[in-house]
């Protein structure tokens, strides 16, 4: 499947590799309107060197698309947005280091991005004390937003996943399902709720199996899984590379059963590592996107025009984090229009909470996003998708 990565994003990643953890940010902006205030730097940390590299690059591309559109209309609150991208390497230490640089050296007034809660929690430790708004565009752990007035999320919180995963297992007619999970904040806390949701659907939950995040060998893990004789597997993990290795190893060991997961099992890095195993292992993904939703299709067409590939490839192949990133910047632009460009944390938070519910790029058709009652933009707006190896795209799963 074509990765739909812009050359500019690849250049960004290369530059950051040279810079390492010492700082290094890349600036992306497009003037097109008349600005009434000084430029506003938005820091965008993402794991450009990790098992989620391709998804991180898609997030950069989506952020760049959104920023260019906002600037072409006169900016946000009259201010030109300047996007500075940082490689957080999917580690807490690097995330903290690049965020510190963004805030103290590069003059960032808002932080957006982060792929996992590992990065997000490190970023929050620096943004919350400064009352700086952090727009998280991918993470699902409640720990990221709990107790914070300044962290907002354009994804579902993890408590929304168990019921949908269990429903997918039930729709597939599975009887004995095993949950395999990594040791990340989400992986280590979602196993029990998924087991409970499976039992509520009349599906037998087998003993869960754990593995280490960023694993290099899952042979023993899959052997343990196979020993329980599941007719389906739910994977709860943050790394696309791990998910791809899981699919590959399941196929090699003859554990050919449906696999249900987040977006990670169908992310570009997972598909690259899993290879032909995806022709054998049926893979289903619970995502905050609907490929045939008109607003998402329009976003996909614009993404493809800017970064290559076709609209169909973008609609069926982009990670949900790309659309969530675009939506995050839409929220920020609306709120900054209200504050007239002020990034004061209390004022900007109030403005975000006051935005009327609207249908964004992400979520299922007809669903809306809002921060009026929560710092989570969505509630129960996900869609179950199936990976089609013949087209290498995601399609809506219809039981």
């Amino acid at each position: 499947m074509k990765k739909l990565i812009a050359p500019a994003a690849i250049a960004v990643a290369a530059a950051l590799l040279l810079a390492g953890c010492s700082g290094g940010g890349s600036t992306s902006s497009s003037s097109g309107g008349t600005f009434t205030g000084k430029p506003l730097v938005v820091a965008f940390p993402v794991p450009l060197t990790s098992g989620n590299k391709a998804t991180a690059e898609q997030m950069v591309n989506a952020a760049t698309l959104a920023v260019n559109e906002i600037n072409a209309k006169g900016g946000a609150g009259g201010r030109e947005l300047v996007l500075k991208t940082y490689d957080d390497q999917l580690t807490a230490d690097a995330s903290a280091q690049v965020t510190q640089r963004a805030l103290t050296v590069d003059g960032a007034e808002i932080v957006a991005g982060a792929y996992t809660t590992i990065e997000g929690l490190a970023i929050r430790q620096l943004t919350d004390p400064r009352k700086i708004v952090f727009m998280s565009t991918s993470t699902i752990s409640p720990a990221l937003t709990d107790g914070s007035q300044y962290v907002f999320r354009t994804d579902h919180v993890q408590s929304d996943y168990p019921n949908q995963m269990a429903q997918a297992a039930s729709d597939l007619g599975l009887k004995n399902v095993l949950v395999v999970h990594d040791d990340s904040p989400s992986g280590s806390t979602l196993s029990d709720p998924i087991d409970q949701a499976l039992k509520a659907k009349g599906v037998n939950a087998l003993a869960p199996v754990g593995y280490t995040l960023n694993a290099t060998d899952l042979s023993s893990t899959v052997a343990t899984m196979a020993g329980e004789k599941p007719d389906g597997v739910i994977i709860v993990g943050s790394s696309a590379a791990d998910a791809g290795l899981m699919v590959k190893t399941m196929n090699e060991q003859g554990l050919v059963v449906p696999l249900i997961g987040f977006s990670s099992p169908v992310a570009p890095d997972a598909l690259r590592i899993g290879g032909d195993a995806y022709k054998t292992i049926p893979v289903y993904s619970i995502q905050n996107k609907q490929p045939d939703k008109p607003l998402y299709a329009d976003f996909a067409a614009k993404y493809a025009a800017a970064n290559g590939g076709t609209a169909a490839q973008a609609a069926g192949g982009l990670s949900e984090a790309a659309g969530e990133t675009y939506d995050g910047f839409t929220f920020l632009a609306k709120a900054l229009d209200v504050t007239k460009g002020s990034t004061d944390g209390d004022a900007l938070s109030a403005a975000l909470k006051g935005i009327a519910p609207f249908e964004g790029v992400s979520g299922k058709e007809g669903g809306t996003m809002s921060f009026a009652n929560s710092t989570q933009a969505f509630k129960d707006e996900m869609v179950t998708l199936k990976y089609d190896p013949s087209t290498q795209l995601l399609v809506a799963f219809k039981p």
Side-chain angles (χ1 to χ4, degrees):
M1 179 176 69
K2 191 165 183 177
K3 291 184 179 178
L4 301 168
I5 299 169
I10 297 173
V12 167
L16 289 169
L17 277 170
L18 292 173
C21 289
S22 61
S26 66
T27 301
S28 300
S29 65
S30 175
S31 297
T34 301
F35 308 111
T36 58
K38 67 177 183 179
L40 194 169
V41 175
V42 180
F44 196 71
V46 283
L48 288 163
T49 52
S50 72
N52 297 293
K53 176 178 181 291
T55 298
E57 289 172 336
Q58 291 177 357
M59 293 172 71
V60 172
N61 291 343
T64 302
L65 176 63
V67 166
N68 287 347
E69 289 181 355
I70 293 164
N71 286 341
K73 296 176 182 177
R79 299 179 66 181
E80 178 184 19
L81 298 186
V82 179
L83 183 70
K84 290 186 71 68
T85 303
Y86 303 82
D87 181 9
D88 65 31
Q89 301 176 32
L90 216 164
T91 69
D93 287 346
S95 297
Q97 190 164 19
V98 298
T99 302
Q100 180 73 13
R101 175 183 174 86
L103 299 178
T104 62
V105 177
D106 298 333
E109 298 179 48
I110 294 173
V111 179
Y115 183 63
T116 70
T117 307
I118 294 169
E119 306 145 76
L121 289 173
I123 293 168
R124 175 184 165 172
Q125 293 301 310
L126 294 167
T127 55
D128 262 15
R130 294 174 168 86
K131 297 184 177 182
I132 290 173
V133 166
F134 169 28
M135 182 63 69
S136 170
T137 61
S138 172
T139 63
I140 65 171
S141 173
L144 182 66
T145 54
D146 282 353
S148 176
Q149 298 297 313
Y150 308 105
V151 183
F152 295 82
R153 186 199 319 268
T154 52
D155 196 356
H156 283 73
V157 71
Q158 68 182 39
S159 58
D160 288 343
Y161 282 86
N163 286 339
Q164 183 132 1
M165 288 179 159
Q167 183 63 58
S170 177
D171 290 341
L172 286 167
L174 305 181
K175 302 299 182 183
N176 298 287
V177 174
L178 181 148
V179 176
V180 60
H181 62 89
D182 68 17
D183 56 1
S184 70
S186 296
S188 59
T189 57
L190 267 179
S191 178
D192 286 346
I194 293 174
D195 278 358
Q196 294 168 14
L198 286 169
K199 292 173 184 176
K201 291 290 183 182
V203 179
N204 182 37
L206 301 173
V209 177
Y211 65 93
T212 303
L213 179 68
N214 296 323
T216 56
D217 186 350
L218 291 173
S219 298
S220 61
T221 300
V222 174
T224 301
M225 293 162 57
E228 296 195 46
K229 302 186 184 306
D231 61 1
V233 171
I234 293 177
I235 181 171
V236 186
S238 300
S239 170
D242 287 348
L245 183 59
M246 181 67 70
V247 173
K248 180 180 180 181
T249 309
M250 286 174 61
N251 186 57
E252 290 173 345
Q253 295 196 18
L255 183 56
V256 180
V257 298
L259 179 76
I260 302 167
F262 300 145
S263 61
S264 51
V266 292
D269 288 304
L271 298 173
R272 174 179 54 81
I273 291 170
D276 286 344
Y278 279 87
K279 297 177 181 178
T280 305
I281 306 292
V283 177
Y284 299 84
S285 177
I286 310 299
Q287 294 207 23
N288 188 29
K289 79 168 196 177
Q290 181 179 332
D292 60 353
K293 172 181 171 179
L295 284 175
Y296 192 87
D298 179 63
F299 161 72
K302 292 188 293 185
Y303 184 100
N307 300 291
T310 68
Q313 286 175 319
L318 283 174
S319 165
E320 63 183 342
E324 292 164 349
T325 295
Y326 185 89
D327 285 334
F329 278 87
T330 299
F331 263 118
L332 288 171
K334 287 176 177 287
L336 286 163
D337 285 343
V338 172
T339 66
K340 301 187 185 306
S342 171
T343 56
D344 172 80
D346 292 322
L348 191 55
S349 293
L352 285 165
K353 295 173 183 177
I355 295 171
F358 67 97
E359 185 172 6
V361 164
S362 306
K364 61 186 178 185
E365 186 173 358
T368 59
M369 302 185 300
S370 173
F371 291 126
N373 300 312
S374 169
T375 51
Q376 332 298 334
F378 290 99
K379 178 65 178 175
D380 295 330
E381 298 290 351
M382 292 181 289
V383 178
T384 300
L385 305 175
K386 181 180 182 180
Y387 179 70
D388 181 353
S390 65
T391 62
Q392 299 182 311
L393 299 174
L394 290 167
V395 296
F397 169 56
K398 299 178 180 179

